Amino acid sequence: MAALPKPLAQLGQSIRGFTLAQRTIAIIGLAVLALGTIALVNFASQPKMTPLFTGLSAEDAAGIVEQLQADSVPYEITGAGGTILVPQENVYESRLKAATAGFPSGSTTGYSLLDQMGVTSSEFQQSVTYKRALEGELATTIMAMDSISMASVKLAIPEQTVFVDTATSPTASIFVETKPNATLTGDQVQSIVHLTSAAVDGLKPVDVSVVDAQGNLLSAAGMGMGGTAGKQASEYEQRVSSMLQGMLDRVVGPGNATIAIAADVSLESASRVEESFTAPEDDPVLTETSKEEDYEGTGSTEAGVLGPDNVAVPNGAGGEGTFTSTESSQTNAINKVTENREIPSGILNRQSVSVALDSDAVGDLDIEELTNMINAAAGIDAERNDTVNVSVLPFSTEAALEAQQSLQDASDAAMRAQDAQLLRTLVIAGGVVLVLVLLAAYLLLRSRNRKRRELVDLGELQDLRELRDANAAVSPLPETRTTAMAKLPATTGIPVVESTGRAAKREQLSALAEANPAKMAEHLRSLMDAKDGS
């Protein structure tokens, strides 16, 4: 220790004065510091990883990983195997090598497929490739939407031929997968439908089906966005019932009216073509022609029967005669209207509305006037055989009482839980405050005890040698063992001599100071602490 610098020597001396618990805590702290330093150095030495490709298929990911392993480029695979990360300095070089090797192959979609067609491709190959290219372009466009992560489009385009009387319209089916925690709104589905129908010649929006990854039918072919007829009827009943319930709640009060609606919705869709003709005002003439013929002269003008030699046999002698003929034709203008109608499914054929009112809440309410209000609000059509029935009946209050009791029990349980939570919080806060107060009191008491300690200069102990000879002539005290000598520790290495008088005590103190000055100073401090404590 003497050869070490003074700061290191003081540090070593302080460490030797640690207790076992303090040494354990110090060792743990040094271990944590060392491990943290190693982790920080490793993290700082790791290269910054950047996505090389995202959304890869399993085949493309396997090929790219094999290429990276051959080039000894470090990589990481994330995103369920669809994303590959490489160091930032290797991104562009790795992309160029992957493109040279034909990866990712899944990116070869859309109209780029037409670039791979040769001059010897058959008509069937050209047709199929064109359809695949169109499907790829549509899928890429749909995936550009914010809420969609993946899309697949399948087109059914019938072959055009002159050997059929009626042409078949093309149809399309679209599969979409949304991003996590994202849903498609009605406007987005409608946008997908119209985007697809506008891109394919002859495709109508009603012939496009859209299905999501959960199997929900968002748009059905022949039915549109409304889905099946049953779903459309249910939505119509719910919408009208909600509107009527809100009106009746304002009239008779909440809970005093109940409504049931049954809607008959058409399940069939049709296409209708109508032509109507009307005469325009003033009946204008488009074209008009007339023809007149006059004949006058001699000869037989009478008709006869042909003979065997095709010679007319006259009934009498011929004479002079005349002939007049008049012919006219006229074409008038006419109005023609041709109307094409697409009749979708879900048309309301008939509906019936039943309303029950609580007799205790009706009072002097005019039932007839209320019925008229319901007819107007629900759109009741007498020609469609719609019906409305309004009945005044006593309502059962058992369900309301049970619901009220349940609400009260739930409220009481919530209050009890809140009180328990508050009490628990107060107990915890009180315990924390008590621990803090005790800790503060302990620290304050310890600091006061430390302030009361007196500093002992080890150099003053050397003066005891000089006082030993000067006090030798002092008269001895009674033979008593001093308290200070009794309190001397047995581990000091100094023999305790049974002697009397102040001179003997000083001799013992002098011997202890010469042998172990640090131990003597510690012993004096303990005596001072004991004196202060008493």
Side-chain angles (χ1 to χ4, degrees):
M1 296 296 295
L4 294 176
K6 185 175 181 181
L8 294 179
Q10 292 179 353
L11 178 61
Q13 186 175 359
S14 300
I15 294 175
R16 286 197 304 271
F18 284 179
T19 62
L20 180 60
Q22 292 174 340
R23 292 179 181 178
T24 304
I25 295 174
I27 292 173
I28 294 174
L30 291 176
V32 171
L33 180 61
L35 292 176
T37 304
I38 294 173
L40 181 61
V41 171
N42 290 335
F43 178 77
S45 61
Q46 291 293 331
K48 184 178 180 181
M49 307 300 284
T50 304
L52 180 64
F53 292 105
T54 59
L56 294 172
S57 62
E59 295 79 6
D60 293 337
I64 294 175
V65 167
E66 185 178 357
Q67 177 186 348
L68 294 177
Q69 291 176 351
D71 297 338
S72 300
V73 177
Y75 64 91
E76 295 180 5
I77 301 177
T78 60
T83 301
I84 298 178
L85 305 177
V86 297
Q88 189 173 9
E89 59 271 12
N90 301 113
V91 171
Y92 301 106
E93 182 181 359
S94 300
R95 284 181 182 174
L96 291 176
K97 291 183 178 181
T100 304
F103 295 110
S105 59
S107 62
T108 308
T109 58
Y111 290 122
S112 59
L113 293 173
L114 301 178
D115 299 335
Q116 304 175 2
M117 294 182 61
V119 294
T120 60
S121 300
S122 63
E123 183 179 357
F124 175 77
Q125 290 177 333
Q126 294 177 0
S127 176
V128 172
T129 305
Y130 172 73
K131 188 175 71 171
R132 287 180 55 198
L134 191 57
E135 291 172 350
E137 291 292 333
L138 288 172
T140 304
T141 305
I142 293 173
M143 284 191 293
M145 293 185 177
D146 294 336
S147 303
I148 298 176
S149 61
M150 193 272 289
S152 176
V153 180
K154 302 299 180 183
L155 300 177
I157 303 176
E159 184 180 359
Q160 302 295 333
T161 177
V162 297
F163 299 104
V164 294
D165 296 335
T166 59
T168 304
S169 300
T171 59
S173 59
I174 303 174
F175 175 83
V176 294
E177 181 179 358
T178 58
K179 296 180 181 179
N181 301 325
T183 56
L184 291 179
T185 62
D187 294 338
Q188 288 176 323
V189 175
Q190 194 72 18
S191 300
I192 294 173
V193 170
H194 285 283
L195 175 68
T196 307
S197 63
V200 180
D201 186 19
L203 180 61
K204 301 176 182 178
V206 74
D207 293 330
V208 178
S209 297
V210 181
V211 181
D212 63 2
Q214 288 74 31
N216 299 321
L217 184 62
L218 305 180
S219 178
M223 297 181 182
M225 279 188 53
T228 62
K231 183 179 179 181
Q232 293 177 353
S234 178
E235 292 178 353
Y236 175 81
E237 292 170 358
Q238 184 178 2
R239 183 175 68 254
V240 177
S241 177
S242 176
M243 179 181 59
L244 293 178
Q245 188 68 53
M247 181 184 69
L248 293 177
D249 288 344
R250 297 292 299 272
V251 175
V252 297
N256 296 322
T258 180
I259 302 171
I261 298 177
D264 181 15
V265 177
S266 175
L267 303 178
E268 299 178 353
S269 60
S271 177
R272 179 184 297 177
V273 179
E274 294 182 355
E275 292 184 354
S276 59
F277 301 90
T278 58
E281 188 178 356
D282 298 335
D283 197 14
V285 178
L286 296 180
T287 60
E288 182 178 5
T289 60
S290 62
K291 179 180 179 182
E292 295 183 359
E293 292 183 357
D294 295 331
Y295 176 77
E296 183 178 356
T298 59
S300 175
T301 58
E302 296 181 359
V305 180
L306 294 178
D309 297 331
N310 293 332
V311 178
V313 179
N315 294 330
E320 294 182 359
T322 59
F323 175 77
T324 303
S325 174
T326 302
E327 181 181 353
S328 63
S329 64
Q330 182 177 342
T331 302
N332 297 334
I334 190 172
N335 293 333
K336 179 182 178 181
V337 178
T338 302
E339 184 177 1
N340 296 323
R341 288 186 181 182
E342 295 291 340
I343 304 175
S345 62
I347 295 179
L348 183 63
N349 296 328
R350 182 178 176 274
Q351 67 173 338
S352 60
V353 180
S354 298
V355 179
L357 304 176
D358 189 3
S359 58
D360 296 336
V362 171
D364 299 334
L365 185 65
D366 190 352
I367 302 300
E368 183 178 358
E369 182 65 23
L370 182 62
T371 304
N372 294 333
M373 293 174 57
I374 295 173
N375 290 335
I380 301 300
D381 189 358
E383 297 181 357
R384 203 169 50 194
N385 297 325
D386 295 347
T387 59
V388 175
N389 183 22
V390 180
S391 302
V392 179
L393 302 170
F395 278 19
S396 175
T397 59
E398 294 181 0
L401 294 176
E402 291 178 359
Q404 185 176 3
Q405 184 64 32
S406 299
L407 291 176
Q408 185 64 33
D409 295 342
S411 178
D412 295 341
M415 291 296 296
R416 289 194 297 269
Q418 185 177 1
D419 294 340
Q421 182 66 25
L422 180 60
L423 180 60
R424 189 181 302 108
T425 304
L426 291 177
V427 170
I428 294 174
V432 172
V433 172
L434 180 60
V435 170
L436 293 177
V437 170
L438 293 177
L439 182 60
Y442 170 73
L443 295 177
L444 179 61
L445 182 60
R446 186 175 179 182
S447 63
R448 292 180 61 185
N449 290 336
R450 286 182 177 178
K451 290 180 179 179
R452 290 178 181 178
R453 290 183 177 181
E454 297 179 2
L455 297 177
V456 177
D457 189 0
L458 298 180
E460 295 179 355
L461 295 177
Q462 305 297 332
D463 297 337
L464 293 176
R465 300 175 182 176
E466 301 175 0
L467 295 176
R468 182 175 54 186
D469 298 334
N471 295 330
V474 178
S475 59
L477 294 175
E479 293 185 3
T480 57
R481 184 175 178 83
T482 62
T483 305
M485 294 302 296
K487 291 184 178 181
L488 286 176
T491 59
T492 56
I494 303 300
V496 180
V497 181
E498 296 290 341
S499 61
T500 60
R502 184 175 298 177
K505 181 179 70 172
R506 289 179 179 176
E507 289 179 0
Q508 294 290 340
L509 292 175
S510 177
L512 177 61
E514 291 178 357
N516 195 345
K519 196 69 177 182
M520 183 62 183
E522 183 65 25
H523 180 64
L524 292 177
R525 289 194 184 94
S526 63
L527 292 178
M528 294 178 185
D529 292 341
K531 182 178 179 181
D532 293 339
S534 62

